[in-house]
Amino acid sequence: MGFGFRVGVPGMSVRVSTRGVRASVGPRIARVSTGSGGTRISSGVGPFQTSGALRGGRRPQARRRTVAPSAAQLQRARRQAERAQQEAQRDAAIAELRELRHRMTSVHLESFPTLTPPVVPEPQRLHLAWALAEAQAHHLAGLGLFARGARSAAKRQAEEDAPGYLAVEEARLRAAHTGLLAEADQWWRALIGNDEETVCAAVNHAFADNPASGCAVGVDGSVLSVVMRQPDIDALPDQTPGVTPTGRPTLKKLTKRDRTLWWLTAMGSNIVATLKEAFATAPGITAIDLAVLTRLPGNQRLGFVAYGRWTRRAIEAGPWQRTEDALRFLDIGQGVVCSVTTTVAGNLSSTLKPLDVGKLPGLRSLLEGAQDDADDPADDSVSGDATLAGLDGDLSANVPDAHAAALPDPYRIRPFAEWKQQAAPQGRTAATPLAQGQSVVLPDAAWQELRIAFEFAGADADLTLFLTDADGRVAGDEDFVFYNQPVGASGAARLLGKQTEGPYAVERASLRPAALPPHVHRVTVALNMAVDTGLTCGSLTHAALSLDGGAGRTWSFRPPADPGIRAMAVAEVYRHTAAGRSVWKLRALGQGWAEGLEGLARAHGVDIS
């Protein structure tokens, strides 16, 4: 706290205090003060005052001093940077190893939805306005705006063509949809019926993107056989995350025990995931025999290291929630054997040896036809008489074409120009008429495809095909091809649907005799009146069957319009031996049944009640 006194004269005042001497000059409205606190100028009238300091002259500045780091400091900084880089690399390696181990040992935690019957999408709906627009675009192409007469004629022609174009495309799309439905149903029934080819193809398609290559190799009843290729134990890294005595993270050498545990857990994870996916893909399979193939450390020979049978019930019971659950594959299977064993002290065996195939009869069928890549083919110390390189190559190549191949669009709309070209009358050879009971030998071209067309008017009728054995009876329901099942023999016999062509209705079918299975000796082409009408064949004002065998060979047959029958075997295609050579022949029949479709089907071994 300071004190002092003021000496004042007009226009000037001096103040002396313990804080110094300060003098002020000028009126109150504009006064300059100087003293120990510096020079200031102030102004103010009434209660408002302002003041500011005048900074005159140069203020003293602190002197800057530059000091260079010593050699020891530089060395210490370099060591710190190197240590930081090493720690970053270590932390990245630790994170990568942990992620790798988690990825390899957690495959079994994935869920696989159970396969359900395939859903066939409906084709797009077509309308007359669309057909007319397509027809007009075709007919008006190249016509100038002022060619009024030509444009009017083109529009009239488009109006005439549009209904036919629409009807043909709609019928073709309906036939394609019906065929897809039949194929999907046939495939699903084969899958749930455990047809070996169907089940193995479906399962292998599902396995194609698995981390451990797997392949379904056979079906016996409801048991599926699978071979799995486990990645080699030598492919595991040499290091594993650890902790120093001071608690710092570090990388340490992977011990034999930890390596074996890692590999065993990864194998169990792949086994469980493979089983889960196979059961989800093949609903009719109740158990899976699975064998694991890998390359053994040391001699690098291929050998089986695990085998057993696992049931659907055991796998679906779970639970599969933790990484450690993968090792449960050893306990829940039947007859499980594994190369990795537990010692008396409770430790895992440190050596990996192949299983003795001679003691596992279930593995022998999997080894047939395989080829080993060992230097000495006589050396069978690892896999007995088995040679496994071919099997290993097949497993690695299990990548179905369906994963990459683009499928054709079954609902492709034909351009109007394409339809117009096909609809235009062609200069074909006149069909050869057949009399009832007459037969002809089909040319080789007809073996690849025989195109059948039934043309009729006056009433509704349906084509039906019976694929029968030498006794004239079907082997099963799949050999009865009709409107509710338009595809048989895996597509070798197919109904293509009906359409209107001028004054007649036409139903077409396709038959490929060369693709028929061996048990089919005869294909009967039949017609039946629509069941719900109660009409007979006498109601048909027109009926004609034509068969196009290609190479300019066409035959026709007019079945009798018998008012007493409601179904008729019109013609048949059958195997025949002539001059020691197997051929296909065509015969015109015209044999009728008063009972209609039911009697016709019963005569060929089909019960439709």
Side-chain angles (χ1 to χ4, degrees):
M1 178 176 180
F3 64 90
F5 59 91
R6 181 190 299 268
V7 179
V9 295
M12 177 179 178
S13 66
V14 178
R15 177 182 173 82
V16 180
S17 69
T18 57
R19 297 180 179 177
V21 179
R22 189 166 189 81
S24 299
V25 182
R28 182 169 180 264
I29 191 171
R31 175 168 295 180
V32 178
S33 303
T34 183
S36 58
T39 303
R40 301 178 64 83
I41 181 170
S42 62
S43 64
V45 178
F48 302 101
Q49 296 185 8
T50 61
S51 66
L54 297 178
R55 304 296 182 186
R58 180 178 298 174
R59 298 182 61 185
Q61 296 182 355
R63 180 178 298 175
R64 297 182 179 178
R65 184 176 60 181
T66 303
V67 180
S70 66
Q73 290 175 324
L74 291 175
Q75 183 66 19
R76 184 163 54 253
R78 281 195 294 269
R79 287 198 300 268
Q80 290 175 347
E82 291 173 356
R83 185 162 53 250
Q85 183 179 8
Q86 292 171 356
E87 290 177 352
Q89 293 174 346
R90 178 206 62 200
D91 292 343
I94 289 174
E96 184 177 353
L97 285 172
R98 285 174 175 165
E99 172 61 23
L100 176 64
R101 187 158 189 163
H102 174 74
R103 189 169 62 248
M104 292 180 63
T105 58
S106 61
V107 188
H108 63 288
L109 302 180
E110 183 178 353
S111 297
F112 301 92
T114 301
L115 204 63
T116 57
V119 177
V120 178
E122 294 276 350
Q124 61 177 303
R125 292 185 177 276
L126 304 179
H127 303 280
L128 182 59
W130 162 82
L132 181 59
E134 294 291 318
Q136 286 183 346
H138 172 77
H139 287 295
L140 292 173
L143 296 179
L145 293 176
F146 299 105
R148 297 180 181 275
R151 291 181 68 85
S152 297
K155 291 180 179 179
R156 288 195 298 271
Q157 185 62 51
E159 291 175 354
E160 293 178 6
D161 288 343
Y165 175 48
L166 176 64
V168 169
E169 288 304 290
E170 284 183 329
R172 192 175 58 81
L173 290 179
R174 286 196 302 270
H177 182 249
T178 302
L180 290 174
L181 286 174
E183 290 181 5
D185 179 68
Q186 184 180 15
W187 176 84
W188 177 253
R189 286 190 284 109
L191 181 69
I192 63 177
N194 293 332
D195 174 73
E196 183 173 73
E197 182 178 355
T198 305
V199 170
C200 289
V203 171
N204 288 336
H205 186 277
F207 282 170
D209 58 351
N210 289 358
S213 302
C215 185
V217 296
V219 175
D220 183 8
S222 63
V223 179
L224 175 67
S225 295
V226 173
V227 179
M228 190 188 85
R229 176 61 162 89
Q230 172 67 13
D232 305 336
I233 192 171
D234 284 345
L236 293 179
D238 296 327
Q239 292 180 309
T240 186
V243 179
T244 66
T246 60
R248 300 181 55 137
T250 186
L251 289 171
K252 64 178 183 179
K253 183 176 178 58
L254 190 66
T255 65
K256 286 187 176 181
R257 182 186 181 281
D258 195 31
R259 174 186 290 268
T260 303
L261 179 59
W262 182 348
W263 182 84
L264 180 64
T265 307
M267 180 176 70
S269 185
N270 285 327
I271 288 176
V272 174
T274 298
L275 295 170
K276 290 171 68 174
E277 188 169 23
F279 282 130
T281 305
I285 294 298
T286 60
I288 296 177
D289 287 340
L290 186 143
V292 181
L293 182 70
T294 193
R295 195 172 294 278
L296 302 166
N299 57 18
Q300 296 300 302
R301 292 289 301 271
L302 291 165
F304 285 101
V305 291
Y307 176 75
R309 171 175 292 189
W310 290 266
T311 65
R312 178 185 293 273
R313 182 188 300 273
I315 294 300
E316 292 181 349
W320 308 107
Q321 300 175 348
R322 304 173 304 161
T323 299
E324 297 79 10
D325 292 339
L327 296 175
R328 294 179 55 242
F329 84 95
L330 294 166
D331 305 320
I332 64 173
Q334 302 172 3
V336 177
V337 288
C338 181
S339 294
V340 180
T341 58
T342 304
T343 64
V344 177
N347 298 322
L348 294 176
S349 56
S350 58
T351 58
L352 193 63
K353 296 181 179 180
L355 300 178
D356 185 354
V357 179
K359 296 181 180 180
L360 299 170
L363 282 178
R364 293 177 182 173
S365 61
L366 303 178
L367 308 180
E368 296 177 357
Q371 185 67 37
D372 197 5
D373 60 351
D375 294 335
D376 182 8
D379 182 7
D380 57 2
S381 59
V382 174
S383 54
D385 296 330
T387 53
L388 306 176
L391 182 59
D392 184 44
D394 291 341
L395 287 171
S396 301
N398 180 31
V399 182
D401 295 336
H403 277 278
L407 297 177
D409 182 9
Y411 295 146
R412 170 185 172 269
I413 302 297
R414 288 187 303 176
F416 179 85
E418 182 181 332
W419 169 83
K420 186 69 175 176
Q421 182 179 8
Q422 294 180 355
Q426 304 292 328
R428 296 188 300 178
T429 305
T432 302
L434 297 178
Q436 189 170 2
Q438 183 180 354
S439 63
V440 295
V441 176
L442 293 176
D444 292 348
W447 294 22
Q448 302 307 314
E449 184 179 24
L450 183 65
R451 294 182 290 275
I452 304 169
F454 175 53
E455 189 179 77
F456 60 96
D460 192 16
D462 297 306
L463 268 183
T464 304
L465 304 178
F466 295 93
L467 283 56
T468 62
D469 56 19
D471 297 328
R473 302 181 68 82
V474 299
D477 291 343
E478 62 272 13
D479 290 340
F480 175 35
V481 181
F482 65 116
Y483 52 84
N484 273 344
Q485 184 173 273
V487 179
S490 300
R494 186 188 297 268
L495 297 179
L496 302 178
K498 296 179 186 178
Q499 63 189 52
T500 302
E501 296 182 7
Y504 305 124
V506 180
E507 183 170 11
R508 287 183 166 83
S510 173
L511 179 66
R512 295 186 290 127
L516 291 171
H519 76 273
V520 177
H521 287 255
R522 190 181 307 270
V523 177
T524 300
V525 182
L527 70 90
N528 58 275
M529 304 304 295
V531 176
D532 55 349
T533 64
L535 299 176
T536 68
C537 291
S539 302
L540 295 174
T541 59
H542 173 81
L545 184 74
S546 65
L547 303 102
D548 186 354
R553 301 293 303 277
T554 305
W555 303 270
S556 65
F557 174 63
R558 292 185 175 272
D562 190 338
I565 62 174
R566 295 166 55 202
M568 180 187 302
V570 184
E572 63 179 359
V573 178
Y574 59 100
R575 300 180 190 267
H576 181 72
T577 301
R581 177 174 177 262
S582 178
V583 297
W584 285 92
K585 297 188 71 174
L586 166 66
R587 177 185 291 130
L589 294 177
Q591 179 184 0
W593 277 263
E595 298 174 80
L597 179 60
E598 183 175 353
L600 174 67
R602 190 183 305 113
H604 291 84
V606 179
D607 184 6
I608 63 173
S609 58

